[in-house]
Amino acid sequence: MSQSAVTASEHVPTAAREQVKIPGLGPWAWARANLFGNWWSTAITLALGYLILRVVFGLVEWGLFNAIWSVPYSATGVPDTGVCQEAKGIGACWAVIADKYRLILFGRYPYDEQWRPLIAVLLFIGLYAVSAMRRFWRKELILIWIGTLTVIGVLMYGGVFGLPLVTEDFWGGLPLTLILATFGLAFAFPLAVLVALGRRSTGLPAVKLLCVLYVELIRGVPLIAFLFMASVMFPLFMPEGVTVNKLLRAQIAFILFSAAYLAEVVRGGLQALPKGQGEAADAMGLTYWQKTGFIILPQALRLVIPPLVNTFIGSFKDTSLVLIIGLFDLLTMGKVALSDPPWQSFSTEVYIFLALIYIAFCFAMSKYSRSLERDLNRSRLR
C-alpha cells in the first residue's frame, strides 16, 4: 500500500474502518484460522463440537421429542401423572407447567382476578421498553413512570373503580418480583448517586463520614440478614399504632442494600473521570449542581455501564431472598407448586421454566447495556 493510501486511511473514522470487509476473511477463512489452525486446535475444536452436539441433541430429545405435554385428570380434578412417571428420565413432563403456571406466575392472587397481575406484568415490560428508547429520555419520562406505576398499584391493590380489594398478603409470583426489582432499583439509583457524591465530598466531612459508614455497614451485612432485621426491627422504630406491611419493609431494605453497592460503582466512574472536566466546568462559571448534572455525571455513568448493569442483574435475582420474611416471589411460588403431591417428582421442569424467565429478563438487560454502551461510545471511536 502506498504512503498516500496509508495517510488517507488514517483519516477514516475507526467505526468506518471496522466495517470495511477485507477480502479472504469470510466465515470459512475465519474458522480455518481460529479453529483449525493446527492439529492441537483442530482436536480441541472437534472434541468440544462433539460434546456440544451430544448435549444439545440430548436436551432436544428429552425436552421436545419425548416430552409429555398433558396428562388426563380424574373427575375430582386430580392429575394422573402415571404417564409422566413412566417417561421419567426419558422425556420431560411439561404437563406440570400447564397445570401450575398460573400459581407460579401469579401466586395466591384470586383466580378470577388474575387478569390484573397479568396486565401489571405487561405494563412493567412496556415501561422498560419505553425507557430503553433514547427518544423518550426527556422530562416527560418521569410522568410516564409515575402514571404507569400508579396504574399498576391500582390494578394490584384494587378497592377502587369496582375492583375487589386484594391485599399484599395475596401478591406473589412474577408481579411481586418485578415490583421489588423495579421500585428497588428506581429509588436505589438516585440514592446511590447522592451517596457517591457525598463520599467524594471534600468540603463536607460530616456528610462524607456518614456516606462512608452507610456503604461499609450495608456491604458488611448479607442481604438475608438485612431483610430479617428490616422485618423484625423496623417496626420498633415506628410510632405507636403505626404498622408497616411486610412488602414495604422488604422494599425499603432492598432499596438501602442496592444503593450501597450502586454507590461504589458510581464512585468508581467519578474517580475515573479526569479532573480537567471539572476544572473546565468551573472555568465556565457553572455551579456545583450544574457541573455535576451536565458535565460530570453523564460521563462518569457512561464509563461504568457494565458494572451498573451487572449490579442491576444481581439485584433482580436477589429478590428471591424475600422468602426469609414470608413473601412469595417467583422462585418461591415454584417451590410451592412442587408441594402438590402429584408433581413432587418433576422439579427439574419447574426450575427450568423459572430459569428461562430469569434468563429472559437478565439477557434483555445485558443486551441493552451492550447496545447502549456501543452507542454512547461511538463518538469516542472517531
Side-chain angles (χ1 to χ4, degrees), residues 72-94:
Y73 288 80
S74 64
T76 58
V78 178
D80 182 8
T81 60
V83 179
C84 289
Q85 294 289 350
E86 295 176 359
K88 186 172 179 60
I90 301 175
C93 182
W94 300 118

Side-chain angles (χ1 to χ4, degrees), residues 8 68 75 80 91 118 121 161 192 203 236 243 249 296 315 351 353 357:
I68 307 299
D80 182 8
L118 175 60
V121 170
F161 304 118
L236 301 178
T243 59
R249 279 178 267 171
I296 304 299
S315 299
Y351 285 122
F353 177 68
I357 296 176

Side-chain angles (χ1 to χ4, degrees), residues 163-310:
L163 298 174
L165 178 65
V166 181
T167 61
E168 297 89 344
D169 295 333
F170 294 93
W171 297 8
L174 184 58
L176 181 62
T177 296
L178 295 180
I179 288 172
L180 289 170
T182 303
F183 281 91
L185 295 175
F187 286 97
F189 184 73
L191 176 59
V193 172
L194 294 176
V195 172
L197 293 174
R199 189 164 185 177
R200 285 177 49 83
S201 175
T202 56
L204 300 173
V207 173
K208 181 177 181 179
L209 178 61
L210 288 176
C211 293
V212 172
L213 290 176
Y214 166 73
V215 172
E216 298 302 330
L217 288 176
I218 296 297
R219 292 198 306 168
V221 180
L223 179 55
I224 292 180
F226 197 68
L227 286 169
F228 183 76
M229 288 189 296
S231 178
V232 176
M233 298 178 62
F234 186 75
L236 301 178
F237 296 94
M238 301 300 295
E240 186 177 355
V242 178
T243 59
V244 181
N245 60 65
K246 291 187 295 184
L247 178 59
L248 182 56
R249 279 178 267 171
Q251 190 72 82
I252 294 174
F254 195 77
I255 291 171
L256 296 176
F257 190 85
S258 300
Y261 283 85
L262 289 172
E264 286 299 278
V265 176
V266 176
R267 187 172 69 91
L270 294 173
Q271 291 185 173
L273 203 63
K275 293 183 178 179
Q277 298 293 322
E279 294 172 353
D282 292 334
M284 296 175 61
L286 299 180
T287 64
Y288 173 79
W289 292 110
Q290 289 175 335
K291 175 181 68 175
T292 302
F294 297 116
I295 306 296
I296 304 299
L297 271 181
Q299 298 184 71
L301 295 179
R302 183 179 64 181
L303 295 175
V304 294
I305 289 177
L308 275 178
V309 176
N310 185 59

Side-chain angles (χ1 to χ4, degrees), residues 59-107:
L59 289 175
V60 171
E61 186 177 12
W62 175 81
L64 293 177
F65 297 144
N66 297 330
I68 307 299
W69 300 95
S70 61
V71 295
Y73 288 80
S74 64
T76 58
V78 178
D80 182 8
T81 60
V83 179
C84 289
Q85 294 289 350
E86 295 176 359
K88 186 172 179 60
I90 301 175
C93 182
W94 300 118
V96 61
I97 305 301
D99 186 59
K100 296 294 184 181
Y101 76 96
R102 296 185 71 160
L103 175 65
I104 295 173
L105 292 178
F106 306 124

